[in-house]
Every structure is written in structure tokens, then in C-alpha cells.
Amino acid sequence: MPQLNPAPWFAILFFAWMIFLIILPPKILAHKCPNDPGLRNLVVTETKFWNWPWQ
């Protein structure tokens, strides 16, 4: 039964994980976030409470 031979499947698994762990993270981390939360002006808005009779 040739499907029980782990040699080719282990190599495919190994190279796939090497792509995921070595090649892809720098490419993904190179992208910049267009909505940088640090550049936003922090304006505190004053909220008003509702005085509704609930009873």
C-alpha cells in the first residue's frame, strides 16, 4: 500500500509549515494599518443621562 509511506507526505507537510512560519509573516507584517488608532484626536464627549420614569 503506497499511501502508508510517510516520506513524501512528511516533506510536503514540512515545506508547507516552513512557508507559513518563515516566508509569510514578514510579508503580512509589512502591511500598514490604514486606521492607526494612535493618530486619532482624543476628544471626550459629555453624555447626558435620560431622566425617564421607568416605574
Side-chain angles (χ1 to χ4, degrees), residues 11-48:
I12 293 170
L13 177 76
F14 179 76
F15 288 120
W17 274 105
M18 288 301 107
I19 289 171
F20 287 133
L21 294 176
I22 295 173
I23 297 171
L24 288 182
K27 290 181 178 274
I28 293 170
L29 292 175
H31 292 284
K32 300 291 181 188
C33 181
N35 298 325
D36 192 10
L39 299 176
R40 184 182 297 176
N41 293 335
L42 296 176
V43 177
V44 178
T45 58
E46 201 171 306
T47 58
K48 298 179 182 177

